[in-house]
Structure formats: structure tokens, C-alpha cells
Amino acid sequence: FRSVTVMTVINPFSYALTTAGTRRVAETYEHQPSQAISIIIIIVAICILLSFIFGMFFLITPDFIATNILNRADLSTVLVFGSVLVVGELLRKVGLGIFHGLKAFKEAFLSAIWFFVTISFAIFFVEDFGIKGVLILNGVAGVVFFIFGLYLVSRRYLIQKANNFKFSYLGNDNNLFLPILLPAFLASLVPGVIVWYMQVLLVQHGDTIQLGFFSAANQIRMMIVFFPVILSSILIPRMVKKVGQIGGDSSDVSYLIISLVGSAV
């Protein structure tokens, strides 16, 4: 339940930042590198600010959430430790959006390897610290994923383009930023709230077995959509029209068809 609560809180924000980062970085990186780097800086800054806000929220109000929303005062301590998971998941998801915008798929893969190595120690944390240890380890693994991946893309993509870098805020030429953020935020918010409310009902009126079935079903759903999501994340940055591009359109309808057919299958 704690995991789903975290996802409900951060998914709308992380999905909006991820989508905006992927598209805007992909549009501007080749012909307007300063603009792309500025967008990355802004997105990372927003991500860090949201991590602090949400982390502090779960640190300050665990008793209120556990007692008044869940009717389970015993979950208060778990909410405190789960604040680390909020920070880690938000950084990891937003980091993926930046990697895909730069088409840094190899860097995303290497970061995922680091994430896997870190999370593989979960069995030892479960034995010694229980669920609290798993929450902390997941959060730390997400932070490691973000920092390591950002280091890799900085070496390969950003440093070589930073010689003439001049920070520029998103002005009139970048009015797509907000129209991307808002629809992506709302699209992720609606289903997230429904899933979270169902979990609340299970905690309040159900039992551990019912909650386990619900969580297992969600895991199966994630397995089913895994490959379509990966396919879409690769094709989206290839479909954008690059800002400042002379001649030709970089978007390709065939990419959209491939993505739609893959998702339908």
C-alpha cells in the first residue's frame, strides 16, 4: 500500500516532467544545445524541489495520514521511512525522461544496471529491517540511478556542448512546455487517484490477502505493458520536429503506427 500511495503522489508530477523533458530536450538538443541544457536544469531543479516538498510531507504528517485516512495508526512509522521512496522514485522517473530526450539509451541501461545491483541487496534488508529497509533501499537505489545516469550523460552529451552555454528561461519560443506539462499531469493523475482510493478501501475494510491479490494484479499489469512503454519511450524522441532544423521533418508517421500496433498487440 505504501508503494502505491507514493506512486499516486509522485506519478502525475514525474510523468509530466518526464514527458516535457523527453520532448523539449529532443526538439532542441541538436540545433539549440543551450536551450536543451537550460531545460534539463529547470526540470532537475523542479524535481529536487518536489522531492523535498513530498519527502517533508510524509515526514511531518505520518500520524495524520495513518490515523485519519487509513484508520491504521500502526502504519505511521512505515510512512516516515517511505519518504525516502518518494525522493528516489521521483528522481529515477524524471531522469529517464532526460535520458530519452537525449537519446541516451545506453546510459539509461547502465543506470538501470546500477539500480538492479543496488536493489538486489533487498533480501538482506528484509531480514534485518523488514519493510522499512525495503522502502529505504528502493529510495536510495532511485537516487543512485539518477546521479549515476546524470554523470554519464554529462560526460557524453552535455560537457561538449557547454562551451558556449548561456542559460535561458523558457520564453515565447518555448510555449509548448506548459501545454505538455498540464495534459501529462492530468492524464496520470486521474487513474492514479482511482487506484489509490481502491487501496485505501482494501486497507480499511479488507485484509492482507485481498491487498496482496490487488498488488499482484498490478504487477501483472506492469509486466504486460512493459514492452509497449519501452517502445514508446524510444520512438517519442524520434518523432519530434527539431527546433531550428533546416529542411525535412524529423517526425515519421511510421513510428506512431509501430507504437500503436505494439500497444494493441
Side-chain angles (χ1 to χ4, degrees):
F1 173 80
R2 180 64 184 88
S3 176
V4 173
T5 301
V6 170
M7 296 307 120
T8 303
V9 172
I10 70 170
N11 263 350
F13 295 94
S14 64
Y15 185 68
L17 291 173
T18 297
T19 303
T22 297
R23 177 172 173 180
R24 296 302 289 138
V25 172
E27 286 177 335
T28 57
Y29 173 70
E30 289 189 14
H31 301 285
Q32 297 181 358
S34 288
Q35 188 74 78
I37 298 175
S38 298
I39 291 171
I40 292 175
I41 292 174
I42 292 173
I43 289 177
V44 171
I46 295 175
C47 179
I48 293 175
L49 177 62
L50 290 175
S51 299
F52 175 78
I53 292 174
F54 291 134
M56 291 302 298
F57 174 77
F58 283 102
L59 283 174
I60 295 173
T61 64
D63 294 331
F64 173 81
I65 297 174
T67 304
N68 297 283
I69 297 179
L70 304 178
N71 296 330
R72 289 285 303 276
D74 56 301
L75 293 178
S76 176
T77 306
V78 178
L79 287 170
V80 172
F81 285 95
S83 61
V84 183
L85 181 59
V86 173
V87 176
E89 279 297 306
L90 187 57
L91 289 173
R92 186 179 68 85
K93 290 176 180 292
V94 173
L96 278 175
I98 295 174
F99 301 156
H100 292 157
L102 293 170
K103 300 178 184 177
F105 303 116
K106 183 177 73 173
E107 284 71 16
F109 172 74
L110 293 176
S111 298
I113 295 297
W114 273 98
F115 182 82
F116 172 77
V117 171
T118 306
I119 210 69
S120 63
F121 289 96
I123 184 172
F124 304 107
F125 276 72
V126 171
E127 293 177 354
D128 296 332
F129 303 101
I131 187 63
K132 301 172 187 176
V134 175
L135 293 175
I136 293 175
L137 185 63
N138 269 271
V140 171
V143 173
V144 171
F145 174 95
F146 176 80
I147 294 176
F148 182 68
L150 205 58
Y151 167 74
L152 291 178
V153 298
S154 296
R155 289 188 56 187
R156 182 176 175 185
Y157 294 90
L158 304 183
I159 292 179
Q160 59 180 332
K161 299 231 179 207
N163 295 331
N164 299 318
F165 169 69
K166 182 179 179 181
F167 180 81
S168 58
Y169 183 70
L170 305 177
N172 295 329
D173 294 334
N174 298 279
N175 54 9
L176 288 175
F177 195 76
L178 183 59
I180 296 172
L181 279 173
L182 185 59
F185 175 82
L186 295 176
S188 181
L189 178 65
V190 174
V193 170
I194 295 174
V195 172
W196 180 82
Y197 180 68
M198 294 175 67
Q199 289 278 55
V200 170
L201 293 179
L202 286 173
V203 173
Q204 290 179 344
H205 308 291
D207 54 32
T208 306
I209 295 177
Q210 291 179 350
L211 190 61
F213 280 134
F214 187 87
S215 298
N218 270 319
Q219 295 299 319
I220 294 173
R221 175 182 61 84
M222 292 174 63
M223 292 171 59
I224 294 174
V225 303
F226 176 77
F227 288 107
V229 168
I230 294 297
L231 182 62
S232 297
S233 66
I234 295 174
L235 295 180
I236 287 176
R238 295 181 177 276
M239 294 171 61
V240 303
K241 182 176 182 179
K242 298 180 178 62
V243 176
Q245 183 181 16
I246 301 177
D249 192 341
S250 61
S251 63
D252 190 340
V253 178
S254 63
Y255 289 147
L256 179 61
I257 295 175
I258 292 172
S259 181
L260 291 175
V261 171
S263 298
V265 171

